[in-house]
Amino acid sequence: AALDHQILYGRARVGGAIVFQGTTGNNNKFLHQIVAYTGHEIESFDEIYINDAKVTDLDANGNVVTVELPDGTSSNRYDGHLRINKHLGSPDQAADADLVAEVGEWTSEHRLRGISYLYMRLAFNQDVYPNGVPQITATIKGKKVYDPRTDTTAWSDNPALCLRDYLSNSYGLNEDDANIDDTLVSSAANVCDETDTDAGTTRYTCNG
């Protein structure tokens, strides 16, 4: 895919870029697909959607057992027909073991380090996929950012910390840390973290 890496701050539902497809089995029964969501490590995949159906039960092997349909009802239509493996994009990320075992073109060197992605294996069934390959989107808790108040790097939707990350990263302004006023950043971050007494939530967040 000739697409830019996506940078995600806070939490948002997003689509991704298909970066690999391959088929295996008699009559190409299985479609193997990788969808990359961000060009950095993320905190978690919180929700996965198959078109508009939300995955509610993903077993230990990645098999989609049940989904919640838009009308609120539950369905097991994908059970036995769709497997999803999550990869958060860590710096030492290993290649997906299932994909390496099943598709010759994908080896242990295909690690996609620093890229969060979902690997999906779809078993052909015209009744399950009447409109073809579904679109897979996900609600993601995104980039981990540095907090000068605690000298730690962790996920946060604090706008001041997200802005600091953008200022200092190569995809942003690539500014030296020494030129960033972390006293000001810390003060702004504290304001963002205040509780909105009317809504009972954090005063300001950044998601997108």
Side-chain angles (χ1 to χ4, degrees), residues 116-146:
S116 67
Y117 71 92
L118 296 177
Y119 156 55
M120 289 152 283
R121 190 189 74 172
L122 301 89
F124 176 77
N125 186 303
Q126 197 165 6
D127 294 329
V128 176
Y129 306 108
N131 299 314
V133 179
Q135 182 183 27
I136 308 295
T137 58
T139 301
I140 294 173
K141 289 178 75 171
K143 198 170 191 298
K144 300 178 181 181
V145 295
Y146 174 72

Side-chain angles (χ1 to χ4, degrees), residues 14 26 59 62 76 87-88 91 100 129 154 159 163 193 197 200 202:
V14 296
N26 294 332
D59 71 18
N76 64 352
H87 295 270
L88 303 183
V100 171
Y129 306 108
L163 179 57
D193 279 343
T197 53
T202 302

